[in-house]
Amino acid sequence: MTLQEKAGSLVSVADSISRLGIPSYGWWSEALHGVSDTGPATWFNKTIIPGATSFPQVILTAASFNESLFYTIGKVVSTEARAMYNTGVAGLTFWSPNVNIFRDPRWGRGQETPGEDPLLASRYGVPFVRGLQEREDGDKEKLKVGACCKHYTAYDVDNWTSVDRFHFNAIVTKQDLEDTYNPPFKSCVLDGNVASVMCSYNQVNGVPTCGDRALLEGMVRGEWKLNGYISSDCDSLHVMFKDQRWAEYPEEVTADALNAGLDLNCGDSLKNFTANAVKRGLVKESVVDRAVTNNYVTLMRLGFFDGHPSKQFYGKLGKKDVCTPANQELAREAARQGIVLLKNGFGSLPLLPTSIKSLAVIGPNANATKAMIGNYAGVPCKYTTPLQGLSEIVKTVYEEGCDVRCNSTKRFENAKHVASSADAVVLVMGTDLTIEAEALDRTDIDLPGQQNLLVSEVAYAARGPVILVIMSGGGMDVTVAKCDPKVTSILWVGLPGQEGGGALADIIFGRHNPSGRLPMTWYPRSYVDMVPMTNNNMRPDPSTGQLGQTYRFYRGETVYEFGYGLSYSSYVHRVIKAPKFVTIPLHEGHPCRSTACNSIDAGDRVCSGLVFDVDLMVTNIGKMAGSHSVLIFSSPPTIFNAPQKQLVDFKKVWLEPWQRSVVSFSMDACKHLSIVDEFGARKVALGRYLLQVGDIKHYMNIQI
């Protein structure tokens, strides 16, 4: 290959090289929660593939705390993707999932993530990646499709007040980088064997992530041993040059990115400036060769060079395999598993269809379509709106009340009239992509406009149960409704995907027992005045009044806490096996034998294989069968400004009424219970730990 041919192979629309028989390839496709046409290498056509299954936005799927569901969705999405590739309307490399931490409730792209907890984000990312990539023939070297974990790293500001993602410099401590921002990416590479990692637009500590050699070559490629390629976010190198003014000439930006470990540029900077960068001695051609090799090896693993798709392992997939009834039912099931019951006063839910002669369905999202699928969605197979889902079960009367911005109250009277004559009311409120989205962060966390007033007035006028449904990507301050006895129930449905309305109806009428748990904290409105969105410090700072961020560090009041969620059943936990002491054996020359220590290095060989069991008896004491997420939290000794509480493991169990089951966890003291010191080193604190599941507490000591 000539130098320019190599340069043309480093961009998202790679050049064809006719003399070598190499076709052009479009790298940019998306599959965040279904095959999407956001990337130009994938598109829909009314006669070929008109749409693909649109699953719930990731934030709601994550609320299921169900790893097998994450994997299954990934597997279905990759099958539809391969089918579309075979028909010529999709690529093979999909830049999903987004495993950034949903640090601040105002972030418009928080909806794309698995939430605020690094363990949950990791445990979502790995099975989803495996579902996308793993082949049914068991060939470990080849890929079904190529996944990409993005956006590396500390990316959680898009466009807030006067700050945008192209200019934002995230000031991040080594401690926060290691224990909050980077774990999901590390898991993607080490446990998921992801084919790609994408660097983000923002800078971290003054260096653009796509030009940071320590982050890319040092960590992703060096420490974690990425088996694949590193891509930039789209036009990131242009952003480095034009917006961040990282270097005087674009060739210098190109060289810095390649030397840092970048292999592929979404955009055209590497195509335009690589040859001159080599000629000027800014980067060696061997570095360019490395990037080309990583890209082409990925295409080889995908079978891109193996002849016509119809002759390959997945060659029989086609239109018939997209939008199948089973896939659409899985979308409905995913929404059912994620929906979170936040309030259920007087046991008002589930409703009995036989007792509801008329159901008022009110609100700006009551008949939502596109609002249900959120961003990075494709064209869905179809929509089942909340109104449609509910109308399939009982007679309904619909009144919008106001649009999503709800700046006018002129239709409130109509809504109140409808509510006053119905047996029950379902209010579907919340946001859409005009309120929170990519490049659009919120400045407050209230329901938009006059939505709170509409809820209160309708609830006051209603003569029966009032169910408030929040459709949103981020959390809301719904304190008014939470405290209003007339609002009998509250459900959060996230952005529930194409089948969201059917799933909602299944929950409301008791066809499904809700089991979702919040994957992020819901804060009071005062939070936005206390915490600047540009503050990346996770830990509280008494000197500035900073209360900390996410449930792991935040010390203020909440509306609903991370992991909260009710059920139509009640579940009782009992510890039947757990140690009170865990002893770490030290070898003869270990320094902690002669010197008092408050922790040991989690990488120390004495820490290897230090495993103990925690067994819990879980009993469903309700009248309805259902799934139950068992979340284990740890509160470690208070050293190194450690998290006050952190999720260390979770499992989902199905229980019939009055059935009980033992749920077992194998805990590795150094893996599950480690914390991070101020230098970014993982440690196991010595001393007293609190393990907590629901309201059950177990104390144990780790000692030497």
Side-chain angles (χ1 to χ4, degrees), residues 30-350:
E30 301 279 355
L32 182 69
H33 54 109
V35 180
S36 167
D37 55 355
T38 302
T42 298
W43 62 94
F44 294 99
N45 180 296
K46 290 184 179 179
T47 58
I48 303 175
I49 304 286
T53 308
S54 187
F55 291 91
Q57 185 58 286
V58 175
I59 193 68
L60 185 69
T61 299
S64 72
F65 284 83
N66 187 345
E67 290 176 277
S68 63
L69 177 65
F70 307 156
Y71 176 81
T72 303
I73 291 174
K75 192 171 182 178
V76 167
V77 170
S78 61
T79 296
E80 293 198 349
R82 268 284 178 175
M84 291 178 66
Y85 172 72
N86 289 350
T87 59
V89 295
L92 290 169
T93 45
F94 291 83
W95 291 346
S96 306
N98 179 342
V99 293
N100 289 119
I101 297 300
F102 195 175
R103 172 181 60 84
D104 191 291
R106 291 164 285 191
W107 188 29
R109 298 189 75 175
Q111 59 179 274
E112 301 174 30
T113 76
E116 70 182 39
D117 181 77
L119 179 79
L120 176 57
S122 299
R123 297 269 288 270
Y124 174 87
V126 169
F128 185 74
V129 165
R130 289 180 51 233
L132 288 177
Q133 294 191 165
E134 290 181 353
R135 291 168 56 103
E136 280 79 357
D137 62 359
D139 191 326
K140 302 292 186 184
E141 295 302 316
K142 292 185 177 181
L143 297 167
K144 188 177 181 184
V145 302
C148 173
C149 288
K150 62 184 186 183
H151 313 79
Y152 180 72
T153 182
Y155 169 54
D156 48 27
V157 173
D158 261 61
N159 192 356
W160 177 71
T161 61
S162 61
V163 180
D164 67 52
R165 57 185 173 171
F166 304 129
H167 299 87
F168 181 55
N169 177 25
I171 304 301
V172 185
T173 65
K174 291 180 180 179
Q175 189 175 34
D176 287 339
L177 203 62
E178 173 62 26
D179 85 345
T180 297
Y181 296 107
N182 282 357
F185 296 97
K186 184 177 182 179
S187 293
C188 275
V189 177
L190 292 178
D191 303 322
N193 194 24
V194 73
S196 177
V197 169
M198 177 184 286
C199 49
S200 53
Y201 289 116
N202 57 287
Q203 297 184 352
V204 172
N205 300 326
V207 182
T209 63
C210 291
D212 193 322
R213 192 165 192 162
L215 286 177
L216 303 186
E217 187 66 29
M219 194 165 291
V220 175
R221 184 79 63 191
E223 290 184 31
W224 304 342
K225 309 298 182 188
L226 173 71
N227 179 23
Y229 67 98
I230 298 175
S231 172
S232 76
D233 206 336
C234 292
D235 291 322
S236 281
L237 301 193
H238 182 67
V239 167
M240 285 171 64
F241 175 66
K242 181 176 178 292
D243 298 293
Q244 299 177 0
R245 300 183 180 181
W246 178 246
E248 188 174 356
Y249 299 103
E251 290 84 357
E252 294 171 319
V253 169
T254 292
D256 284 352
L258 286 169
N259 285 327
L262 192 72
D263 300 310
L264 186 79
N265 165 217
C266 181
D268 56 13
S269 293
L270 290 187
K271 176 180 176 178
N272 294 339
F273 304 114
T274 293
N276 281 341
V278 172
K279 291 171 184 175
R280 288 178 55 185
L282 299 172
V283 61
K284 294 179 179 178
E285 190 165 353
S286 60
V287 173
V288 179
D289 291 346
R290 175 221 70 208
V292 174
T293 300
N294 288 334
N295 297 341
Y296 276 118
V297 167
T298 302
L299 291 178
M300 290 174 183
R301 294 173 67 200
L302 288 161
F304 180 69
F305 300 109
D306 293 351
H308 196 275
S310 64
K311 306 299 183 184
Q312 298 181 38
F313 179 73
Y314 290 105
K316 293 183 179 180
L317 295 177
K319 184 177 181 178
K320 70 183 188 311
D321 301 293
V322 182
C323 286
T324 66
N327 293 356
Q328 295 186 67
E329 177 58 30
L330 180 63
R332 185 164 178 157
E333 174 63 15
R336 282 193 293 249
Q337 289 196 29
I339 290 173
V340 183
L341 178 62
L342 296 171
K343 176 183 177 181
N344 198 23
F346 315 111
S348 57
L349 288 180

